[in-house]
Amino acid sequence: MNVLVIGDMVGKGARKAAIALVPSLLREYDCCFCIANGENMAGGGGMTRRCLNSLDEAKINVVTGGDHMWDQRELAEVIGLFPNVLRPANVSAVQPGRGYGVFTVPGHRQRIAVISLLGRTFLNTQANCPFEAADRILDELQDQKIIFVDFHAEATSEKIAMGRYLDGRVTAVLGTHTHVPTADEQIFAGGTAFQCDLGMVGARDSVLGRAIAPVLQRFSTGMPARFTVVETGIRLQGTVVSLDPDSGQATAIQRISRDFD
C-alpha cells in the first residue's frame, strides 16, 4: 500500500500544479491516498474555502496546517465544512477544527489516521508540547494501525527527535515548514518512515516560493520588503511511503520531485 505526501503548497501556482500533477503521480506510484500541507496555499499564507474546494480536482485526501493556519480569517468560520482539513493538534482547544482524524481510503477497507503537529523550537508560536500531544492522541488511536504524522517544525533536531520518539508507534513522521527537501529519508528500526522535510510545491526560481529580489533586499539591507509569491515555474516535491497495511509498518520511502509548466 502506497501513500503520497507532498510538502507545503505555496500560492495559486502550487494549487494548479497539484491539480495537474497529483492524479498522475497517484497512478504512477500506485498510491491510494494523498496528504498535503496547505498552510501557504492562499497567496502564500493560510487557506480559504475557494482554495480548499479547488483541491477536489487534485485528489488530495487530507490537508494539514501549520503556523500560518489562520492567516486567512475566513478559515476559522468555514473549517468545520472541511472534515479533511487539520489544524495542529497541540494548540489551544478553543481554536476551531481538529488536529487529527481517521480517514477511509477510497476503494479500500483500510483507514488511515493523520495527525498534524506544530513544533516549538525557533518558531514564534503558542503551541503546547507536541510530544505530549502525540502521546495523548496515540492513546485515543490504540486500535489504529496506519498513522501518518505531519510535524510542521523549524529545527531538524526537533523533527528527528519526534521521529525517534514515535518510532514503532506510527507509520511515518514527515516534516514540513522549511520548504527545502532533505535527503535523510529512512525507515527507523521500529518500522517508522521518516524525513526531516518534504520540501514544497512552489516556484523553482524563488526563495522558498517568494520573489527573489525583495528577499535579497531584506537580507542585504535590513529594510522591510513585501515577499510576493511566484506563481509560475512550479516544482512539486514530496515523498511516497510504502507500508504493510496489516502491521502499519513502513516498508519503503522514496523522495519525488516533478516540474510543472
Side-chain angles (χ1 to χ4, degrees):
M1 180 176 176
N2 300 325
V3 174
L4 171 65
V5 191
I6 62 177
D8 303 50
M9 292 185 287
V10 186
K12 184 177 182 180
R15 302 197 308 271
K16 289 183 177 180
I19 291 168
L21 296 177
V22 169
S24 61
L25 289 170
L26 292 173
R27 292 190 297 270
E28 180 179 345
Y29 290 93
D30 192 25
C31 296
C32 60
F33 202 80
C34 179
I35 304 165
N37 186 283
E39 69 141 15
N40 294 129
M41 66 175 164
M47 313 178 200
T48 65
R49 182 202 299 250
R50 182 178 179 182
C51 292
L52 291 167
N53 283 333
S54 73
L55 293 183
D56 289 343
E57 299 179 59
K59 307 300 182 184
I60 293 173
N61 301 99
V62 178
V63 178
T64 54
D67 56 312
H68 291 291
M69 189 77 193
W70 308 114
D71 282 9
Q72 303 294 328
R73 292 184 180 180
E74 76 168 76
L75 184 64
E77 300 174 358
V78 303
I79 192 171
L81 303 175
F82 297 94
N84 66 325
V85 175
L86 303 177
R87 53 113 167 117
N90 56 316
V91 296
S92 171
V94 304
Q95 292 191 17
R98 58 179 181 159
Y100 71 98
V102 181
F103 306 90
T104 300
V105 178
H108 295 259
R109 62 179 176 82
Q110 286 86 6
R111 287 162 65 81
I112 293 180
V114 182
I115 304 171
S116 177
L117 293 174
L118 183 60
R120 297 193 294 182
T121 304
F122 306 137
L123 277 176
N124 184 23
T125 69
Q126 295 182 337
N128 300 315
C129 177
F131 296 86
E132 182 180 358
D135 285 338
R136 171 178 51 80
I137 294 168
L138 291 180
D139 283 344
E140 299 175 13
L141 294 174
Q142 289 185 14
D143 297 328
Q144 179 63 39
K145 293 183 178 180
I146 305 173
I147 303 173
F148 278 71
V149 177
D150 173 5
F151 191 29
H152 197 80
E154 178 77 22
T156 53
S157 57
E158 188 178 19
K159 292 180 179 182
I160 295 169
M162 179 63 75
R164 294 295 183 180
Y165 189 69
L166 296 181
D167 183 26
R169 304 163 66 191
V170 302
T171 305
V173 176
L174 303 169
T176 56
H177 178 66
T178 71
H179 296 203
V180 179
T182 55
D184 62 338
E185 69 277 11
Q186 60 190 295
I187 308 294
F188 288 150
T192 294
F194 175 80
Q195 185 180 352
C196 258
D197 204 282
L198 298 172
M200 69 173 178
V201 186
R204 296 184 296 275
D205 293 328
S206 72
V207 178
L208 307 185
R210 308 287 181 152
I212 296 171
V215 176
L216 295 184
Q217 176 185 327
R218 178 68 176 270
F219 274 116
S220 63
T221 68
M223 296 300 293
R226 183 178 181 181
F227 293 171
T228 55
V229 174
V230 181
E231 305 286 14
T232 58
I234 305 299
R235 174 171 291 160
L236 183 150
Q237 296 167 326
T239 290
V240 173
V241 175
S242 302
L243 61 100
D244 178 350
D246 293 324
S247 67
Q249 291 188 330
T251 57
I253 181 171
Q254 178 182 359
R255 272 182 293 143
I256 62 170
S257 179
R258 194 63 50 86
D259 289 346
F260 174 67
D261 73 3

